[in-house]
Amino acid sequence: MAQADRPGMLAKFVFFVGLIALAALPAGALGHRFGLLELTIGSALVFSGIVLATIVLVLGIATLVFVYTRRRRADRMPALIGLAASVVVLVVTAPYYAALSLPMTNDVTTDRVDPPVFEHVAPATGANLLDYTEEEARVQAEGYPDLVSIRASGGAHENFGKAVDIARALGWDVVSENADTGLIEATATTFWFGFKDDVAIRVRGEDTQTVVDLRSASRVGLHDLGANAERIRAFVELWNDP
């Protein structure tokens, strides 16, 4: 095979490093979820994949320009594959970087004055405490003003059953349900890293209405990247779905 028919070193670098960057994301995240990697190692793998993808993106574009100006056909496919892999990595992780601008909190509720309490999941929690502070309430009020109590018609008992059904429909593991106190506790597991977030749902009658409040708190980390707010929004969306 002639030398011109073989991919050059730069095209090979873009190809292999691009695939390594792509593989680093699921390896790091799922490796931690299934207990194969410590969180620090899993996070480092994911971060390394992002760095490599950024490098490959720059080199990949430069390589393609060189390939098409010099008409090196053998370099086209490996360069395109590596570049595509880097784009996938950066597109998948972009929302997480964008979420860094969201409020730095890990405990979100629809009732910032009297949030639902955790009674059964507390012993299983990790590093974070389950005390909803005034600072968290202030940050949430500024960042998530749309999160408010659900006010529904019908009795508390009827709406309690609906809340349990929605929690299960969202894939949450319902740990406790007490119709007498109107409290439901559940645990939600994130897909990639398998982080455990705890959810409390309080259903109580108020005059002629039923008031439903939610609270979602992360067990680890100082910044939930908006996950808890999105979890509450998902519940509200299903609740309002006719």
Side-chain angles (χ1 to χ4, degrees), residues 49-224:
I50 295 171
V51 173
L52 290 176
T54 304
I55 295 172
V56 168
L57 180 67
V58 175
L59 290 180
I61 294 173
T63 302
L64 285 178
V65 171
F66 176 78
V67 164
Y68 282 98
T69 55
R70 297 299 181 88
R71 298 182 180 180
R72 292 180 57 88
R73 295 182 180 179
D75 289 347
R76 291 178 185 176
M77 189 54 65
L80 282 171
I81 292 174
L83 182 60
S86 72
V87 170
V88 170
V89 171
L90 296 176
V91 168
V92 168
T93 57
Y96 297 98
Y97 276 91
L100 289 173
S101 63
L102 294 175
M104 180 176 273
T105 181
N106 53 28
D107 194 343
V108 178
T109 180
T110 58
D111 188 343
R112 298 186 294 274
V113 177
D114 181 23
V117 298
F118 293 101
E119 295 180 350
H120 294 85
V121 300
T125 57
N128 290 337
L129 299 176
L130 291 177
D131 295 328
Y132 191 78
T133 65
E134 292 183 1
E135 176 62 16
E136 285 168 325
R138 183 193 65 78
V139 170
Q140 183 190 324
E142 295 177 357
Y144 304 123
D146 62 302
L147 299 182
V148 295
S149 304
I150 298 173
R151 296 189 175 274
S153 59
H157 181 76
E158 173 188 352
N159 285 299
F160 183 89
K162 179 178 179 179
V164 172
D165 290 342
I166 291 177
R168 291 195 171 124
L170 289 169
W172 303 346
D173 179 21
V174 177
V175 177
S176 172
E177 48 181 298
N178 189 329
D180 294 331
T181 61
L183 184 64
I184 304 160
E185 293 177 76
T187 299
T189 304
T190 63
F191 176 78
W192 285 110
F193 276 92
F195 292 134
K196 302 290 184 180
D197 297 339
D198 295 309
V199 183
I201 308 169
R202 183 180 62 207
V203 182
R204 57 185 179 183
E206 185 178 289
D207 298 328
T208 60
Q209 291 182 316
T210 296
V211 180
V212 181
D213 282 299
L214 293 94
R215 180 180 175 188
S216 182
S218 302
R219 294 186 183 181
V220 296
L222 299 176
H223 198 321
D224 65 5

